[in-house]
Amino acid sequence: RSDVTKALHGVEWTTLAFFAGLFIIVGGMVETGTISALANGLIDVTGGNVFLTMIVLVFASAVVSSFLDNIPFVATMIPLIQNMGAMGITNLEPLWWALALGACLGGNGTLIGASANVVLSDISAKHGHAITFMQYLKIGFPMMAMSVAIAAIYLVMRFPA
């Protein structure tokens, strides 16, 4: 049997509060129509061209999910891509892949980009080895940019124009 008080003491409360806040923001964006407006804007910028939308999406997803945790970012983007389908884009497969690769790899760009980074940072600090945002950014962002470029090359070969 575990001591409940001891177990609660070990919970990463700051991390849980961080994610709760992010999901509240995402829910608000869906409810206020911000997601639909973003879908319309992306289609306007790319002219509805699936290939161009895929390229924009993989890089934009990477950069945004570097600064906004990739889990709530993807939760935000799912209805956006679904709206694009409702707006007439018939082949959504390249867009789903662009989102998945961009958001996943983009989470490596900053300390707050992925859940694992945030949890690791808290645990590391508790053990006397603080990792600052800038320390992580100097290494993480270039590595993320390189991996996203490789993913974009894959997408271009997998889903040619």
Side-chain angles (χ1 to χ4, degrees):
R1 300 197 71 139
S2 296
D3 179 15
V4 174
T5 305
K6 185 177 179 181
L8 289 174
H9 182 70
V11 173
E12 297 292 330
W13 293 108
T14 56
T15 304
L16 290 176
F18 175 76
F19 290 123
L22 284 173
F23 280 110
I24 289 167
I25 291 169
V26 169
M29 290 175 70
V30 170
E31 291 300 317
T32 61
T34 304
I35 299 301
S36 295
L38 290 172
N40 286 328
L42 186 55
I43 288 176
D44 288 345
V45 166
T46 62
N49 179 305
V50 174
F51 182 81
L52 185 56
T53 304
M54 174 186 73
I55 297 301
V56 169
L57 193 57
V58 71
F59 285 105
S61 293
V63 172
V64 172
S65 68
S66 285
F67 295 96
L68 175 67
D69 185 85
N70 53 12
I71 294 170
F73 174 72
V74 169
T76 302
M77 294 299 291
I78 289 170
L80 187 137
I81 292 177
Q82 290 171 333
N83 282 348
M84 288 180 184
M87 293 174 190
I89 293 182
T90 56
N91 184 11
L92 296 177
E93 184 180 4
L95 304 183
W96 290 119
W97 276 104
L99 173 61
L101 290 170
C104 181
L105 297 171
N108 297 323
T110 69
L111 193 57
I112 61 171
S115 307
N117 301 353
V118 175
V119 172
L120 172 75
S121 172
D122 284 350
I123 293 170
S124 182
K126 283 182 180 177
H127 287 87
H129 304 285
I131 302 169
T132 69
F133 184 86
M134 290 308 291
Q135 286 174 322
Y136 192 97
L137 182 72
K138 288 177 185 176
I139 296 169
F141 206 86
M143 294 299 290
M144 178 274 297
M146 183 175 61
S147 65
V148 172
I150 292 168
I153 292 168
Y154 165 76
L155 289 170
V156 166
M157 292 178 358
R158 174 72 173 86
F159 303 104

